[in-house]
Amino acid sequence: MRNDVPDKLREYLKTENTDLGERADNFWKVAQPILDRQSSVNSNENGLAHVSKVELNIWRLIKESDRISDFSPYDLFILSCAACSHDFDKGLFKELPEGKVHGEASGDFLLHNYRELQNSYPEMVAIEQIIGIHALPPEDFQNKLNKIPSQYPLATNPVALQKLAVILKTADILHTDNSRIAPIGVDTSIMDENERKKHFARESITGWMIDGSRIILNATPQTPEHHEAVGGCRDYMMKDEWPAVEGKLSAYDFPHTLQFNISPPPGQKKASDCEKPIKGKKYSKENYVFNVPYREKGDGVLGRTEALTLLREQLTKSRGTAIGQTASFHGIGGLGKTQLAVEYAHRYKDDYPNGVIWINADQEIKPQLIQISQRAKWIAPESEHQLILEVVQARLKTFSNCLIIFDNVEAQKDIEPYFPEPSAQPHLILTSRRPQPGFEPIALDLLDEEISLDLFMMESGRIFDSIAFEEQNAAQKIVEELGGLPLAIELAGAFIKYSGSFSFVNYHALLKESLTSTMPGKLSGFTGHESDLYKTLKVSGSVFKQAPLLKDILDVLTWSGSSFMGTSLLSDILNVKGHELFHPLSLGTELRLLKKDENQDRYEIHRLLRKVRQEEFILKENKEWAESICGRVGSWFESRCENFANLPEYETEIDILKKWHQNAASIGSLHASRLLWLQAYPLYHWGIYQDAFELVKAALNDYEKSSEQDQELKAHLLNDLGFTYGALGDYDKELKFYQRALKIREDQLGAEHPDTATSLNNVGAAYGNLGDYDKELKFYQRSLKISEDELGLEHPDTATSLNNVGFAYGHLGDYDKELKFYQRALKIREDHLGPEHPDTAASLENITIIFTKKKKFLEAHKLLVRFLKIIPKSHSQHNVLISMQDYIARQSKKSGFRTPAAILRSQNKKGRKNKGKIKSKKRK
């Protein structure tokens, strides 16, 4: 940050935009009479000093957090005016107007007097929205905040309203020091108890400072009564004020942890509890989490005491590093790296008050972070996807006194975004196949023969001294041949234990037989042990006889990558009922052939066993089997791709989809095109249209290179490529690809097929985007006729076509016909989908717009109220429609009211089209 940055917001604003700076000064000047009326005798308020200090706090937060570049001059102008006006109602009214809360009345005054205050009406709307919620308690503040547009169009630059509202409220919360007390006639003897405690707290608090991610309020109480008052103030702020802004501040990369530094009264020792932050409400980043997906073995871990001791010593060294105290295990799989990390996490979890977090570095990290956040309740799960990730990342980067484990790291760059900031000192553990720079390695040696034998006996459930000499001899030979690799010993012991009557002599013979086979050692780093490992990991046919489906499970997981797979996907791939998987999965887990996620019903094959079976069960030699699996994987994802509600499950399995796309490509299958296409849906659902476009385009390119033909798939690809072109604003190409998809569906399915109707809808939409409304109507009418003839007059898809025809009439200016078709669609949706269905909400929204344009405000208001009860808060139009509801309510008794053109254009474009998502079946 520059050293010459002014210390006051408006002074800085003048250096960036002279006009806005002078206008902000003028706003404060015009507001002076109102500000002068905000202080009174025997009041805890010094109105003018308070709003001035809030403006100063705003600038300190921005400047001292080094976030100036995040704010435009218009942002700063709005913040200055908001600081000035947020408490206007304290100077305007002795009692708040009926039905208004503090802040709302101030906002109403701005809107009614914008000319006198010499600002434009849109600017006053922006200020009104953020000051109207500044005094609300945390839950109400968050609810109202989500209804404010994150970006509000103002002049040529949008302003970040949500961020501005959070900064204003934070600055207001932080002004609780002695400068807030009115300097005239204060007599505490006539105050009630609560007012007196508030006064004593403010007398004691001297100000605040920023220290890394913390905001520290300093207090110096002079009497026990003042000390008690400060403690009460602290408790109130931490419980009833700070939770409103903490999560957002963290997401915006501002200091977000509030802490009190309270000096003891003269003659008393310092109260340590005064220094501790107090946790907020139900959702808080401070919530404890223990996220380790595997159980501990405890005393079952043999030969690793020294490594655990060294790990503990290394992590608790007094000296710090740039990324906290660190340690890593590296080496070939099977040494027990992951298990040792598990044991450490369980053994020392009580030494980490901020929790233990486990991340599988060889899998998609973002879905894991979202699941961890939901389990720990760091942020409400209905929050925006990106905000959840920002909060989790901030939690990882800024918290000390926690343990973070990155398991199976391939490249350090993949996990560097989650490394702690210099001010934080968590403990980090990495497991990897190769050394990682910056992490002190801990060597994991092969087990010696004595410990190997002990481990083998424990895993096999036998007692060495109680078995015959020849069995003892065979056991010793087995562990000798296994070469001290823990995984191999555990699997061998588990096999014998499960078989019951299988002797050591027989097992040793099996190993000797395997040694004579053709499987060579493939794993580097353990010359002399590779063949033994491969043969140990081969699964006996006798196991499959007890659970035949286990072999199919292993085959699928062998080629499904390193991610856990859920039973829903697995049962569909194997074409079996879910309950049929219970026994083979239990057996596979007991034999340690499979690993089960501790928190979910999801399974993976151990990576070493996967390598062995890939050599044994070669994909290219089983192409017919691979083709069938690709088809079932594609069907599972395609059945879930369009519904946003399926997105969490879809994303959880996305690594499986990507792996089978690779498999399909490796065998030259046409399924590769389909499996690549399906990867675009999560991107579209999150609005990442360019990346979705690239995937669909690549999938179509792969299809066109293939000698195989699948016209249904080709139509899907063309259709969705057209849709992504439209989402990116290229309407000429949108039309071109929709027309190609329509031609295929007409040729393959016939002119009257419902999927053909879908393509007709899409072509109509493209013509509408290009402004050719006559053709738009023509195609929508053709689609409607097919729906009525093939599906019936009351089918929900017919309602979609009616909706689109109405939309086209609206483009042509025939609002009577537009309304007629919308009303028909609403009747069908209410009768067949119910009054709470999202499609019913869409019809309500459409008719609301028409009634508003016809100045039927009472009818519009009734429908809009119904709509807002149905629509989720995450809906893109929710915030705008809240504002629209207010406009309609206030104008319902006025003639000549016109809804602002910008809102109507937004609604006309977005509200009635119901595009939703990439469509290959229907268009709403």
Side-chain angles (χ1 to χ4, degrees), residues 348-390:
Y348 294 103
K349 62 182 178 182
D350 292 338
D351 294 327
Y352 296 100
N354 281 326
V356 178
I357 301 168
W358 185 288
I359 297 173
N360 293 309
D362 59 341
Q363 301 174 22
E364 287 284 343
I365 292 179
K366 290 182 179 179
Q368 297 179 62
L369 299 182
I370 291 175
Q371 291 178 5
I372 294 170
S373 171
Q374 291 174 344
R375 191 174 303 125
K377 296 184 178 179
W378 287 339
I379 184 173
E382 63 268 20
S383 302
E384 295 178 1
H385 187 82
Q386 188 58 39
L387 177 59
I388 294 175
L389 292 174
E390 290 171 357

Short mmCIF file of all heavy atoms in Angstrom, two decimals, residues 348-390:
data_model
loop_
_atom_site.label_atom_id
_atom_site.label_comp_id
_atom_site.label_asym_id
_atom_site.label_seq_id
_atom_site.Cartn_x
_atom_site.Cartn_y
_atom_site.Cartn_z
N TYR A 348 -3.39 -37.76 18.83
CA TYR A 348 -3.11 -36.40 19.33
C TYR A 348 -4.24 -35.42 19.02
O TYR A 348 -4.03 -34.21 19.08
CB TYR A 348 -1.80 -35.89 18.73
CG TYR A 348 -0.59 -36.67 19.18
CD1 TYR A 348 0.01 -37.59 18.33
CD2 TYR A 348 -0.06 -36.51 20.45
CE1 TYR A 348 1.11 -38.33 18.74
CE2 TYR A 348 1.03 -37.24 20.88
CZ TYR A 348 1.62 -38.14 20.02
OH TYR A 348 2.71 -38.87 20.43
N LYS A 349 -5.43 -35.90 18.70
CA LYS A 349 -6.50 -34.99 18.30
C LYS A 349 -6.86 -33.99 19.40
O LYS A 349 -7.26 -32.86 19.11
CB LYS A 349 -7.74 -35.78 17.89
CG LYS A 349 -8.36 -36.64 18.98
CD LYS A 349 -9.55 -37.42 18.44
CE LYS A 349 -10.15 -38.32 19.52
NZ LYS A 349 -11.28 -39.12 18.98
N ASP A 350 -6.71 -34.38 20.67
CA ASP A 350 -7.05 -33.47 21.76
C ASP A 350 -6.08 -32.30 21.87
O ASP A 350 -6.35 -31.32 22.59
CB ASP A 350 -7.10 -34.23 23.09
CG ASP A 350 -8.25 -35.21 23.14
OD1 ASP A 350 -9.22 -35.04 22.38
OD2 ASP A 350 -8.17 -36.16 23.95
N ASP A 351 -4.92 -32.40 21.21
CA ASP A 351 -3.95 -31.32 21.25
C ASP A 351 -4.19 -30.28 20.15
O ASP A 351 -3.40 -29.33 20.01
CB ASP A 351 -2.52 -31.87 21.10
CG ASP A 351 -2.12 -32.73 22.29
OD1 ASP A 351 -2.56 -32.42 23.42
OD2 ASP A 351 -1.38 -33.70 22.10
N TYR A 352 -5.26 -30.46 19.39
CA TYR A 352 -5.58 -29.53 18.31
C TYR A 352 -6.98 -28.97 18.51
O TYR A 352 -7.96 -29.50 17.98
CB TYR A 352 -5.47 -30.23 16.95
CG TYR A 352 -4.06 -30.69 16.63
CD1 TYR A 352 -3.68 -32.02 16.82
CD2 TYR A 352 -3.10 -29.79 16.18
CE1 TYR A 352 -2.39 -32.44 16.55
CE2 TYR A 352 -1.80 -30.20 15.91
CZ TYR A 352 -1.46 -31.52 16.10
OH TYR A 352 -0.17 -31.92 15.84
N PRO A 353 -7.12 -27.90 19.31
CA PRO A 353 -8.45 -27.36 19.63
C PRO A 353 -9.22 -26.85 18.43
O PRO A 353 -10.44 -26.74 18.49
CB PRO A 353 -8.14 -26.22 20.62
CG PRO A 353 -6.70 -25.87 20.37
CD PRO A 353 -6.03 -27.15 19.97
N ASN A 354 -8.52 -26.54 17.34
CA ASN A 354 -9.22 -26.09 16.14
C ASN A 354 -9.41 -27.20 15.11
O ASN A 354 -9.74 -26.93 13.95
CB ASN A 354 -8.48 -24.90 15.51
CG ASN A 354 -8.76 -23.61 16.25
OD1 ASN A 354 -9.86 -23.41 16.74
ND2 ASN A 354 -7.77 -22.74 16.36
N GLY A 355 -9.17 -28.45 15.55
CA GLY A 355 -9.59 -29.57 14.74
C GLY A 355 -8.51 -30.24 13.90
O GLY A 355 -7.36 -29.80 13.85
N VAL A 356 -8.93 -31.34 13.26
CA VAL A 356 -8.08 -32.14 12.38
C VAL A 356 -8.79 -32.26 11.05
O VAL A 356 -9.95 -32.69 10.99
CB VAL A 356 -7.82 -33.53 12.98
CG1 VAL A 356 -6.96 -34.36 12.02
CG2 VAL A 356 -7.14 -33.42 14.34
N ILE A 357 -8.12 -31.88 9.97
CA ILE A 357 -8.72 -31.84 8.64
C ILE A 357 -7.93 -32.73 7.70
O ILE A 357 -6.72 -32.57 7.57
CB ILE A 357 -8.76 -30.40 8.11
CG1 ILE A 357 -9.57 -29.52 9.06
CG2 ILE A 357 -9.32 -30.34 6.69
CD1 ILE A 357 -9.42 -28.04 8.78
N TRP A 358 -8.61 -33.65 7.05
CA TRP A 358 -7.98 -34.62 6.14
C TRP A 358 -8.42 -34.32 4.71
O TRP A 358 -9.61 -34.22 4.43
CB TRP A 358 -8.40 -36.03 6.52
CG TRP A 358 -7.72 -37.12 5.73
CD1 TRP A 358 -7.93 -37.45 4.42
CD2 TRP A 358 -6.73 -38.03 6.22
NE1 TRP A 358 -7.14 -38.50 4.06
CE2 TRP A 358 -6.39 -38.88 5.14
CE3 TRP A 358 -6.11 -38.20 7.44
CZ2 TRP A 358 -5.45 -39.90 5.27
CZ3 TRP A 358 -5.18 -39.22 7.57
CH2 TRP A 358 -4.85 -40.05 6.50
N ILE A 359 -7.45 -34.18 3.81
CA ILE A 359 -7.75 -33.90 2.40
C ILE A 359 -7.04 -34.93 1.54
O ILE A 359 -5.82 -35.10 1.66
CB ILE A 359 -7.30 -32.48 2.01
CG1 ILE A 359 -8.09 -31.44 2.82
CG2 ILE A 359 -7.48 -32.24 0.52
CD1 ILE A 359 -7.60 -30.02 2.61
N ASN A 360 -7.78 -35.61 0.69
CA ASN A 360 -7.20 -36.54 -0.27
C ASN A 360 -6.69 -35.73 -1.46
O ASN A 360 -7.47 -35.28 -2.30
CB ASN A 360 -8.23 -37.58 -0.72
CG ASN A 360 -8.64 -38.49 0.41
OD1 ASN A 360 -7.80 -39.08 1.08
ND2 ASN A 360 -9.94 -38.62 0.64
N ALA A 361 -5.39 -35.56 -1.52
CA ALA A 361 -4.80 -34.65 -2.51
C ALA A 361 -4.87 -35.18 -3.92
O ALA A 361 -4.69 -34.43 -4.88
CB ALA A 361 -3.35 -34.33 -2.13
N ASP A 362 -5.09 -36.48 -4.10
CA ASP A 362 -5.15 -37.05 -5.44
C ASP A 362 -6.58 -37.09 -5.98
O ASP A 362 -6.85 -37.73 -6.99
CB ASP A 362 -4.54 -38.46 -5.45
CG ASP A 362 -5.25 -39.41 -4.51
OD1 ASP A 362 -5.96 -38.93 -3.60
OD2 ASP A 362 -5.09 -40.64 -4.67
N GLN A 363 -7.50 -36.40 -5.31
CA GLN A 363 -8.88 -36.30 -5.76
C GLN A 363 -9.24 -34.82 -5.89
O GLN A 363 -8.50 -33.95 -5.46
CB GLN A 363 -9.82 -37.01 -4.79
CG GLN A 363 -9.52 -38.49 -4.60
CD GLN A 363 -10.37 -39.12 -3.52
OE1 GLN A 363 -11.42 -38.62 -3.17
NE2 GLN A 363 -9.89 -40.21 -2.95
N GLU A 364 -10.42 -34.56 -6.48
CA GLU A 364 -10.90 -33.18 -6.57
C GLU A 364 -11.05 -32.63 -5.15
O GLU A 364 -11.78 -33.18 -4.33
CB GLU A 364 -12.24 -33.13 -7.30
CG GLU A 364 -12.14 -33.35 -8.80
CD GLU A 364 -11.60 -32.13 -9.52
OE1 GLU A 364 -11.61 -31.04 -8.92
OE2 GLU A 364 -11.19 -32.26 -10.68
N ILE A 365 -10.38 -31.53 -4.86
CA ILE A 365 -10.33 -31.02 -3.49
C ILE A 365 -11.58 -30.21 -3.15
O ILE A 365 -12.09 -30.30 -2.03
CB ILE A 365 -9.05 -30.18 -3.29
CG1 ILE A 365 -7.82 -31.10 -3.36
CG2 ILE A 365 -9.08 -29.43 -1.96
CD1 ILE A 365 -6.49 -30.39 -3.19
N LYS A 366 -12.11 -29.44 -4.09
CA LYS A 366 -13.22 -28.54 -3.76
C LYS A 366 -14.46 -29.28 -3.24
O LYS A 366 -15.05 -28.85 -2.24
CB LYS A 366 -13.57 -27.68 -4.98
CG LYS A 366 -12.49 -26.64 -5.28
CD LYS A 366 -12.88 -25.77 -6.46
CE LYS A 366 -11.78 -24.73 -6.73
NZ LYS A 366 -12.12 -23.87 -7.88
N PRO A 367 -14.90 -30.40 -3.86
CA PRO A 367 -16.04 -31.12 -3.27
C PRO A 367 -15.76 -31.60 -1.85
O PRO A 367 -16.66 -31.62 -1.00
CB PRO A 367 -16.25 -32.29 -4.24
CG PRO A 367 -15.69 -31.83 -5.53
CD PRO A 367 -14.52 -30.96 -5.17
N GLN A 368 -14.50 -31.99 -1.57
CA GLN A 368 -14.15 -32.40 -0.21
C GLN A 368 -14.29 -31.24 0.77
O GLN A 368 -14.81 -31.41 1.88
CB GLN A 368 -12.72 -32.92 -0.16
CG GLN A 368 -12.45 -34.17 -0.99
CD GLN A 368 -11.00 -34.60 -0.91
OE1 GLN A 368 -10.50 -34.93 0.17
NE2 GLN A 368 -10.31 -34.59 -2.03
N LEU A 369 -13.85 -30.06 0.36
CA LEU A 369 -13.93 -28.90 1.24
C LEU A 369 -15.37 -28.55 1.56
O LEU A 369 -15.70 -28.17 2.69
CB LEU A 369 -13.23 -27.70 0.59
CG LEU A 369 -11.73 -27.86 0.30
CD1 LEU A 369 -11.16 -26.58 -0.29
CD2 LEU A 369 -10.97 -28.26 1.55
N ILE A 370 -16.24 -28.67 0.56
CA ILE A 370 -17.65 -28.38 0.79
C ILE A 370 -18.24 -29.38 1.78
O ILE A 370 -18.99 -29.01 2.70
CB ILE A 370 -18.42 -28.40 -0.54
CG1 ILE A 370 -17.99 -27.20 -1.40
CG2 ILE A 370 -19.92 -28.35 -0.30
CD1 ILE A 370 -18.58 -27.18 -2.78
N GLN A 371 -17.89 -30.66 1.65
CA GLN A 371 -18.40 -31.67 2.58
C GLN A 371 -17.87 -31.42 4.00
O GLN A 371 -18.61 -31.56 4.98
CB GLN A 371 -18.00 -33.06 2.11
CG GLN A 371 -18.71 -33.50 0.83
CD GLN A 371 -18.24 -34.87 0.36
OE1 GLN A 371 -17.46 -35.54 1.02
NE2 GLN A 371 -18.73 -35.27 -0.80
N ILE A 372 -16.60 -31.03 4.12
CA ILE A 372 -16.04 -30.73 5.44
C ILE A 372 -16.77 -29.55 6.06
O ILE A 372 -17.13 -29.57 7.25
CB ILE A 372 -14.53 -30.44 5.32
CG1 ILE A 372 -13.77 -31.69 4.88
CG2 ILE A 372 -13.97 -29.93 6.66
CD1 ILE A 372 -12.32 -31.43 4.52
N SER A 373 -17.03 -28.52 5.26
CA SER A 373 -17.73 -27.34 5.77
C SER A 373 -19.12 -27.69 6.26
O SER A 373 -19.56 -27.22 7.31
CB SER A 373 -17.81 -26.28 4.67
OG SER A 373 -18.65 -25.22 5.05
N GLN A 374 -19.82 -28.54 5.51
CA GLN A 374 -21.17 -28.94 5.92
C GLN A 374 -21.14 -29.73 7.21
O GLN A 374 -21.99 -29.55 8.09
CB GLN A 374 -21.83 -29.74 4.80
CG GLN A 374 -22.14 -28.91 3.57
CD GLN A 374 -22.66 -29.75 2.41
OE1 GLN A 374 -22.51 -30.98 2.40
NE2 GLN A 374 -23.26 -29.12 1.43
N ARG A 375 -20.15 -30.62 7.34
CA ARG A 375 -20.05 -31.44 8.55
C ARG A 375 -19.71 -30.59 9.77
O ARG A 375 -20.24 -30.81 10.85
CB ARG A 375 -19.00 -32.53 8.33
CG ARG A 375 -19.00 -33.61 9.39
CD ARG A 375 -18.02 -34.72 9.01
NE ARG A 375 -18.34 -35.28 7.72
CZ ARG A 375 -17.48 -35.36 6.71
NH1 ARG A 375 -16.25 -34.94 6.85
NH2 ARG A 375 -17.85 -35.88 5.56
N ALA A 376 -18.84 -29.61 9.58
CA ALA A 376 -18.39 -28.79 10.71
C ALA A 376 -19.31 -27.60 10.97
O ALA A 376 -19.19 -26.94 11.99
CB ALA A 376 -16.98 -28.28 10.44
N LYS A 377 -20.23 -27.32 10.01
CA LYS A 377 -21.12 -26.16 10.13
C LYS A 377 -20.32 -24.86 10.22
O LYS A 377 -20.54 -24.03 11.08
CB LYS A 377 -22.05 -26.32 11.33
CG LYS A 377 -23.01 -27.49 11.21
CD LYS A 377 -23.98 -27.57 12.36
CE LYS A 377 -24.94 -28.73 12.16
NZ LYS A 377 -25.89 -28.87 13.28
N TRP A 378 -19.38 -24.70 9.27
CA TRP A 378 -18.63 -23.46 9.19
C TRP A 378 -19.45 -22.36 8.54
O TRP A 378 -19.25 -21.19 8.82
CB TRP A 378 -17.33 -23.68 8.41
CG TRP A 378 -16.30 -24.45 9.18
CD1 TRP A 378 -16.22 -24.60 10.53
CD2 TRP A 378 -15.20 -25.18 8.64
NE1 TRP A 378 -15.15 -25.38 10.86
CE2 TRP A 378 -14.49 -25.74 9.72
CE3 TRP A 378 -14.73 -25.40 7.36
CZ2 TRP A 378 -13.35 -26.52 9.56
CZ3 TRP A 378 -13.60 -26.18 7.19
CH2 TRP A 378 -12.92 -26.73 8.28
N ILE A 379 -20.34 -22.75 7.63
CA ILE A 379 -21.17 -21.77 6.93
C ILE A 379 -22.44 -22.49 6.50
O ILE A 379 -22.43 -23.70 6.27
CB ILE A 379 -20.42 -21.19 5.70
CG1 ILE A 379 -21.26 -20.10 5.02
CG2 ILE A 379 -20.00 -22.25 4.72
CD1 ILE A 379 -20.52 -19.37 3.91
N ALA A 380 -23.54 -21.76 6.44
CA ALA A 380 -24.82 -22.36 6.09
C ALA A 380 -24.73 -23.05 4.72
O ALA A 380 -24.21 -22.47 3.77
CB ALA A 380 -25.92 -21.30 6.06
N PRO A 381 -25.20 -24.30 4.60
CA PRO A 381 -25.04 -25.04 3.35
C PRO A 381 -25.78 -24.43 2.17
O PRO A 381 -25.45 -24.71 1.03
CB PRO A 381 -25.61 -26.44 3.69
CG PRO A 381 -26.49 -26.22 4.88
CD PRO A 381 -25.88 -25.08 5.65
N GLU A 382 -26.80 -23.58 2.45
CA GLU A 382 -27.50 -22.96 1.33
C GLU A 382 -26.76 -21.76 0.76
O GLU A 382 -27.23 -21.13 -0.20
CB GLU A 382 -28.91 -22.53 1.77
CG GLU A 382 -28.95 -21.48 2.87
CD GLU A 382 -29.02 -22.11 4.26
OE1 GLU A 382 -28.65 -23.30 4.37
OE2 GLU A 382 -29.45 -21.43 5.21
N SER A 383 -25.61 -21.42 1.34
CA SER A 383 -24.81 -20.31 0.83
C SER A 383 -24.32 -20.60 -0.58
O SER A 383 -24.29 -21.76 -1.02
CB SER A 383 -23.61 -20.05 1.75
OG SER A 383 -24.01 -19.79 3.07
N GLU A 384 -23.93 -19.56 -1.29
CA GLU A 384 -23.44 -19.73 -2.65
C GLU A 384 -22.22 -20.64 -2.67
O GLU A 384 -21.40 -20.63 -1.75
CB GLU A 384 -23.08 -18.37 -3.25
CG GLU A 384 -24.27 -17.44 -3.42
CD GLU A 384 -23.87 -16.08 -3.96
OE1 GLU A 384 -22.67 -15.89 -4.23
OE2 GLU A 384 -24.76 -15.25 -4.13
N HIS A 385 -22.15 -21.43 -3.74
CA HIS A 385 -21.07 -22.42 -3.87
C HIS A 385 -19.70 -21.76 -3.70
O HIS A 385 -18.86 -22.24 -2.93
CB HIS A 385 -21.19 -23.05 -5.26
CG HIS A 385 -20.27 -24.21 -5.51
ND1 HIS A 385 -20.55 -25.48 -5.10
CD2 HIS A 385 -19.07 -24.27 -6.15
CE1 HIS A 385 -19.56 -26.28 -5.47
NE2 HIS A 385 -18.66 -25.57 -6.12
N GLN A 386 -19.47 -20.64 -4.38
CA GLN A 386 -18.16 -19.99 -4.32
C GLN A 386 -17.88 -19.43 -2.94
O GLN A 386 -16.74 -19.46 -2.46
CB GLN A 386 -18.09 -18.87 -5.37
CG GLN A 386 -16.71 -18.27 -5.53
CD GLN A 386 -15.66 -19.32 -5.92
OE1 GLN A 386 -15.92 -20.22 -6.70
NE2 GLN A 386 -14.47 -19.22 -5.34
N LEU A 387 -18.92 -18.91 -2.26
CA LEU A 387 -18.72 -18.36 -0.92
C LEU A 387 -18.30 -19.45 0.05
O LEU A 387 -17.44 -19.24 0.91
CB LEU A 387 -20.00 -17.67 -0.45
CG LEU A 387 -19.95 -17.10 0.98
CD1 LEU A 387 -18.83 -16.07 1.11
CD2 LEU A 387 -21.30 -16.48 1.35
N ILE A 388 -18.91 -20.64 -0.06
CA ILE A 388 -18.53 -21.74 0.82
C ILE A 388 -17.05 -22.06 0.64
O ILE A 388 -16.31 -22.22 1.62
CB ILE A 388 -19.38 -22.99 0.51
CG1 ILE A 388 -20.85 -22.74 0.88
CG2 ILE A 388 -18.87 -24.20 1.29
CD1 ILE A 388 -21.77 -23.87 0.50
N LEU A 389 -16.61 -22.13 -0.62
CA LEU A 389 -15.21 -22.44 -0.88
C LEU A 389 -14.30 -21.35 -0.33
O LEU A 389 -13.22 -21.63 0.21
CB LEU A 389 -14.98 -22.62 -2.38
CG LEU A 389 -15.64 -23.85 -3.01
CD1 LEU A 389 -15.46 -23.83 -4.52
CD2 LEU A 389 -15.05 -25.13 -2.43
N GLU A 390 -14.70 -20.09 -0.45
CA GLU A 390 -13.89 -19.00 0.07
C GLU A 390 -13.76 -19.07 1.59
O GLU A 390 -12.68 -18.84 2.16
CB GLU A 390 -14.50 -17.66 -0.34
CG GLU A 390 -14.39 -17.37 -1.83
CD GLU A 390 -15.18 -16.15 -2.25
OE1 GLU A 390 -15.87 -15.55 -1.40
OE2 GLU A 390 -15.11 -15.79 -3.43
#
